[in-house]
Amino acid sequence: MEIEFNAENIEKCLCLQCKVQKKSQCVRDKVILLQERALGSSLIEPKEFPALHCASGIEHCTDLDRKEECLCKNCPIYAENDLETGTPTLYFCLDGSSASCCLNEAKFDEGRVAETLRDYYRRND
C-alpha cells in the first residue's frame, strides 16, 4: 500500500501531535521553516515535511523519542489504508514509509521480511 503525499492526507495526519516528535527541536525547527516557506511560493518536498511519514518515509531528525508511544493506531490514514497489515506497522517516522506486506506476493523476498521483523522486534529499552 502506498500512501499519497497530498494535501488531503496532510490534513488527516497526526504526526505533528505525536509524543515521539513532540520534544524534538529539529522537528520544531522544520515546522518554523515550513511556515516561513508557506508565505512564499516554494514547493515543499516530502522529505522536508516533518509529518505524513507513512507516505514520505523516515524523519531525518535524530532527536525523536522512541520511548514514547506513537499515534499511528489513532490516525485516520492508518485506518483507511489498513496499515496494520503492512510493514512497518507503527513508528513510520523512525522506520520508514508504509509498504504492503509481501507474504502473499509472487515476488516473496524472505530476506526483506526477515530484516523487517528483526528491526521491528529489536528491544529499545
Side-chain angles (χ1 to χ4, degrees), residues 87-88 111-121:
T87 56
R112 178 175 162 232
V113 172
E115 182 179 329
T116 300
L117 291 174
R118 197 169 35 253
D119 289 344
Y120 282 91
Y121 294 103

Side-chain angles (χ1 to χ4, degrees), residues 34 37-38 40-46 48:
L34 288 173
R37 288 179 71 195
S41 60
S42 301
L43 292 176
I44 298 170
E45 294 292 324
E48 299 172 319

